[in-house]
Amino acid sequence: LAPFNQEWVLEALKQVPHELAGVEATKVEEMLDEMIRETSSLYYNAVKAAIVTYVLRDPTEAKRLEVMALPKPPERRMFHPSVAECAAQASEGSLTLGVWHDNVLAGYEATERNLLINHDGTLQMLELWALYQHLQLCSLGSLPPVEALELERFKDQQHSHCERVVQMLKKKWYPAVVDLFQDELKH
């Protein structure tokens, strides 16, 4: 990889103030050092991503590497507070989760949105599930709009709906999954 050019750093530092009112000089220096490390890291990641993208332009190379599709680029999110600040309790003696909880959830959601699956069998499984994902074991759509419902009647409706969904999954989805696995074993 091409090294991170120090001339770029010097030019960028000319644009950044080295003194901030009310902030100690050592803190400003730490912030600048962190900014340089972050910029360097982003540079190397961008260079690596560009190399991979360039190599994968060739369909034979992509097939050789078993890459079915390029992932969507992840969202850019920066978390500036320290880990200790994020994990701190909302208030003294409170069991309320700190700021970190929201950040962890956001990380899980971003991972789930951007997760790349290259195995053909897994992709087929996801396509198959898309046909059945609308099925829910509990149905509130069949409830009357306004009137009250007896508990036993509600339980009976939900039980029969659940049985229909389970039987459909057993008769259609499950055999299709077994067929996918058997096809994968053959290849």
Side-chain angles (χ1 to χ4, degrees):
L1 296 177
F4 188 63
N5 192 331
Q6 290 302 314
E7 289 177 29
W8 300 337
V9 174
L10 296 175
E11 286 299 315
L13 286 175
K14 290 178 184 176
Q15 307 297 316
V16 178
H18 292 272
E19 293 180 12
L20 296 173
V23 180
E24 293 179 26
T26 56
K27 181 67 175 172
V28 172
E29 194 63 35
E30 288 174 19
M31 292 167 57
L32 290 171
D33 289 343
E34 176 61 29
M35 182 183 68
I36 292 168
R37 282 192 299 277
E38 182 178 339
T39 305
S40 176
S41 174
L42 290 172
Y43 167 78
Y44 283 113
N45 287 338
V47 169
K48 290 175 188 176
I51 290 170
V52 169
T53 302
Y54 180 78
V55 168
L56 294 179
R57 282 184 168 177
D58 180 5
T60 56
E61 193 64 19
K63 186 175 181 177
R64 183 184 75 78
L65 296 172
E66 296 182 1
V67 175
M68 306 299 178
L70 289 175
K72 292 179 269 180
E75 290 180 18
R76 294 264 179 205
R77 288 196 68 176
M78 298 301 200
F79 301 113
H80 292 288
S82 72
V83 174
E85 291 169 346
C86 288
Q89 295 174 338
S91 62
E92 186 66 34
S94 168
L95 295 177
T96 307
L97 298 173
V99 178
W100 68 271
H101 189 259
D102 294 333
N103 293 341
V104 169
L105 288 177
Y108 277 120
E109 290 169 358
T111 301
E112 188 175 50
R113 273 192 313 276
N114 298 313
L115 184 63
L116 178 66
I117 299 172
N118 284 325
H119 191 272
D120 194 43
T122 307
L123 291 171
Q124 290 175 1
M125 183 77 86
L126 287 172
E127 290 169 3
L128 178 63
W129 179 246
L131 301 173
Y132 297 95
Q133 69 182 7
H134 67 281
L135 299 175
Q136 297 179 350
L137 295 177
C138 181
S139 172
L140 301 178
S142 64
L143 294 177
V146 178
E147 68 185 58
L149 192 63
E150 293 177 10
L151 182 59
E152 287 303 314
R153 185 170 154 219
F154 175 76
K155 285 173 32 181
D156 290 343
Q157 284 179 349
Q158 295 307 311
H159 182 73
S160 63
H161 173 78
C162 185
E163 284 296 316
R164 283 192 301 274
V165 170
V166 167
Q167 290 307 314
M168 183 182 299
L169 291 174
K170 282 182 178 177
K171 289 180 181 172
K172 294 182 179 179
W173 177 75
Y174 182 74
V177 169
V178 170
D179 289 344
L180 281 176
F181 280 112
Q182 288 175 342
D183 288 346
E184 280 298 313
L185 288 174
K186 290 176 187 174
H187 297 289

